[in-house]
Amino acid sequence: MAKFELMALPYAQDALEPVISSATIGFHYGKHLLTYVNNLNALVEGTPWAEKTLEDIVRDSEGGMRNNAGQILNHEMYFEQFKSPTENNAPTGKIADAITKSFGSFEAFQKEFNQKGATLFGSGWVWLSADKDGKLIITQETNAANPIQKGLTPLLTFDVWEHAYYLDYQNRRADHLAALWNIIDWQVVEKRL
């Protein structure tokens, strides 16, 4: 029996349109993420890693095992943080206060987050995380890396691998990043804080 399973999406495959198309979800979730799940299950089978959590594997393993576990963890956080599009979608409450405290304003945070996502060379992820003192920081993580490897608590992520946006935005990564703000479920992000 497989240890890791493909997560269930918390919305219909077309619920994020036009920001993320049903076709992109079909490939990104239904093929890419499923491949990482299948790969990790094959790698952990019959090893002590089969008893570990994704977080443990990402923190403590190496090579293909870490890469596949990292991609599963990253994608699960990515897909869980979305909801149907809302104009002028902005955080409220505790997460809004933390963003303002750390970046000066939500707009300043968005600008820096988009810039770091647009300028990450190659494939990877841009993350909003909290450090051990609760200060929010933005990091660029290449390939399958996750901020937990640096002792941070990941809160929000944008996937800047081309498979996340190429069907909908072709090479316009910055347009993709700008559109994602309309589908963030800030309640999910706040629960991670």
Side-chain angles (χ1 to χ4, degrees), residues 43-58:
L43 289 166
V44 302
E45 188 174 354
T47 76
W49 295 106
E51 303 307 314
K52 304 287 185 181
T53 66
L54 279 175
E55 291 85 355
D56 290 337
I57 296 170
V58 170

Side-chain angles (χ1 to χ4, degrees), residues 130-169:
D131 69 12
K132 62 181 174 44
D133 299 317
K135 182 176 189 307
L136 302 188
I137 59 171
I138 299 169
T139 61
Q140 296 171 311
E141 305 294 340
T142 58
N143 299 317
N146 183 291
I148 65 169
Q149 294 165 283
K150 298 175 177 174
L152 301 171
T153 301
L155 306 175
L156 170 77
T157 188
F158 287 1
D159 187 342
V160 295
W161 284 68
E162 285 186 340
H163 66 240
Y165 61 88
Y166 206 82
L167 291 178
D168 301 327
Y169 297 89

